[in-house]
Amino acid sequence: MSTTAFEMRRSDLPDPDEDALSHSVKVTARVRQAIRASGGVLPFDRYMDMVLYEPGLGYYVSGTRKFGPDGDFITAPEIGGLFGRCLARQCADVLKDVSPGSLLEFGAGSGALAAQILDELTALDMLPEAYLIVELSPVLRARQKQALEPFMGRVFVHWLDAPPETGFLGVVLANEVLDAMPVTRFQVRGNAGIAAGVREDTQGFSWDFDGPTDPSVESVIRRYGLGEGYTSEVSPRGAAWMQTIGQCLETGLLLVIDYGYPGAEYYHPDRFDGTLMCHYRHRAHGDPFLYPGLQDLTAHIDFSAMARAGLAAGLELAGFTSQDAFLLSMGILDLVGDNPENATQLRQVQELKQLTLGSEMGESFKVFAMVRNTDRSLAGFSLRNRAASL
């Protein structure tokens, strides 16, 4: 990549301060070591894993603020409480049939969603037996503990390094979790899928598509008829996560909220460069090699692949819809109207727009549900259920 191209991509982004830049230099040095130890090319999923999760260095395990106005992006729970209250109502419906039932949240971020859910479940008199959180970041665990301190005497809150192996009863939640799992980036060459690698160059790092074919993408190429040069992603780790949930969940609901598409839309001919995206200081761009360790790297979810993995793990597909349809099904309009204070209601109206408008989060984010050993219909999919599209 030329110096000019580097300056053009950088000019639209704010410069990191000295401490942040020093941290990125350390991450870059660690990645260089890994590239050299791998013979000059590091698989992209390993690169993504390092810059996001390398102990003490990765984006999600360092001390920088990720969520909210001072971070790099805002998730639905950071906007306000309506999103969490709607999810809590869906959880309450399931908990009525699962006793004793618990909640298990993956990647709880700032703890805002957990606090909102527990607050609403308290009002509904449906507190779970336990609220369990799988969180790898010590920094985020500390924030979550602070956010959930008011609930500690009412419900058992506990942090885990990994989910229970078997026997979980209740609801598993994953809000914007699967998109942050390292993916295999690939390019079609000669009707075969070449997995992307990362190599050093004069500006830092660059792509390498000269490696061997990757059998994990062959079925995707055949299923969707991907042509020469088509570049995209697959998520073996996402599929493995679904297998883990299939083993863990004995009775109850898995609820995933994330941005993504059914497979036929994910691998549409017009989406020829995939969905890989980076987020830095509330700006989205497409360069995963800029400021390693300081920016978030994500890829959209192929919900068809997640459904196939869940079915193979013994789960049942229960629902798939857009975020706006789910929230409207759960009565979000009633929640906006239940506060008589004009200032609060005005803030909630703005929150409602962000959560439900198609130009905001309403259509780009999807809600995906799989169940095991429960026949209860899910209210969140009553307005529109697009599970057949998967």
Side-chain angles (χ1 to χ4, degrees):
M1 181 174 295
S2 68
T3 301
T4 301
F6 178 82
E7 291 173 349
M8 286 177 62
R9 78 188 181 193
R10 186 176 178 178
S11 63
D12 296 330
L13 299 172
D15 292 327
D17 59 32
E18 288 188 15
D19 288 342
L21 194 58
S22 176
H23 178 80
S24 184
V25 169
K26 293 177 183 177
V27 177
T28 298
R30 179 68 188 89
V31 173
R32 289 186 185 278
Q33 290 177 352
I35 290 175
R36 293 164 187 172
S38 298
V41 178
L42 187 70
F44 178 73
D45 65 328
R46 177 65 183 129
Y47 169 84
M48 189 171 174
D49 193 30
M50 291 186 69
V51 298
L52 293 182
Y53 302 108
E54 185 78 359
L57 293 175
Y59 176 79
Y60 278 108
V61 295
S62 67
T64 57
R65 183 171 290 270
K66 287 80 179 171
F67 309 97
D70 297 329
D72 298 306
F73 52 85
I74 296 179
T75 61
E78 306 294 329
I79 300 172
L82 295 176
F83 180 79
R85 293 182 68 186
C86 287
L87 261 63
R89 292 183 168 199
Q90 183 66 90
C91 292
D93 285 348
V94 175
L95 291 173
K96 291 174 185 175
D97 294 339
V98 180
S99 183
S102 298
L103 271 64
L104 171 62
E105 184 180 359
F106 282 79
S110 67
L113 179 59
Q116 292 163 14
I117 289 174
L118 287 174
D119 193 46
E120 183 70 8
L121 290 178
T122 299
L124 296 172
D125 195 26
M126 284 298 301
L127 280 174
E129 180 182 50
Y131 200 106
L132 307 176
I133 297 175
V134 176
E135 178 60 69
L136 301 181
S137 168
V139 175
L140 292 178
R141 279 195 184 194
R143 291 191 65 188
Q144 294 157 16
K145 288 179 180 179
Q146 184 176 15
L148 297 178
E149 187 175 358
F151 303 96
M152 296 291 192
R154 288 178 267 167
V155 63
F156 177 66
V157 182
H158 186 61
W159 281 261
L160 305 171
D161 295 323
E165 292 186 4
T166 59
F168 180 78
L169 308 175
V171 181
V172 179
L173 295 171
N175 178 51
E176 293 198 54
V177 171
L178 270 66
D179 66 277
M181 291 185 179
V183 294
T184 298
R185 179 92 161 157
F186 71 89
Q187 189 172 87
V188 180
R189 294 189 176 184
N191 295 319
I194 306 297
V198 178
R199 63 168 57 252
E200 297 181 78
D201 72 6
T202 57
Q203 299 300 331
F205 305 116
S206 60
W207 292 107
D208 182 281
F209 284 104
D210 294 325
T213 59
D214 189 325
S216 70
V217 303
E218 297 303 313
S219 62
V220 172
I221 294 173
R222 292 193 302 269
R223 177 176 283 113
Y224 299 108
L226 305 183
E228 186 73 11
Y230 193 95
T231 304
S232 192
E233 310 86 27
V234 293
S235 182
R237 299 196 194 196
W241 184 84
M242 291 297 300
Q243 179 68 39
T244 297
I245 300 304
Q247 296 170 352
C248 166
L249 183 61
E250 179 178 318
T251 301
L253 165 68
L254 164 65
L255 201 61
V256 174
I257 306 96
D258 225 318
Y259 41 87
Y261 313 98
E265 294 180 38
Y266 194 104
Y267 298 107
H268 191 278
D270 290 342
R271 195 167 283 109
F272 55 85
D273 196 34
T275 70
L276 188 69
M277 187 59 62
C278 311
H279 300 273
Y280 177 70
R281 308 278 283 276
H282 296 281
R283 292 164 174 83
H285 66 94
D287 186 355
F289 307 130
L290 182 65
Y291 301 142
L294 301 186
Q295 64 174 353
D296 189 24
L297 275 62
T298 72
H300 282 51
I301 308 306
D302 173 4
F303 282 106
S304 296
M306 296 304 102
R308 288 192 296 271
L311 291 170
L315 302 174
E316 299 177 49
L317 180 61
F320 177 66
T321 194
S322 58
Q323 178 173 290
D324 64 330
F326 179 87
L327 296 177
L328 290 168
S329 295
M330 295 309 306
I332 191 172
L333 295 179
D334 297 331
L335 296 179
V336 172
D338 72 356
N339 195 309
E341 296 183 20
N342 290 336
T344 300
Q345 194 170 66
L346 181 60
R347 288 195 300 270
Q348 288 184 331
V349 169
Q350 294 301 316
E351 181 184 353
L352 174 68
K353 291 179 179 179
Q354 282 187 268
L355 293 173
T356 61
L357 288 180
S359 58
E360 297 283 349
M361 301 174 72
E363 179 59 34
S364 58
F365 279 79
K366 307 298 192 301
V367 184
F368 169 79
M370 302 198 81
V371 298
R372 170 171 274 161
N373 294 331
T374 177
D375 296 326
R376 173 177 284 272
S377 60
L378 300 175
F381 303 90
S382 58
L383 182 63
R384 182 169 67 243
N385 191 344
R386 293 159 54 185
S389 68
L390 301 180

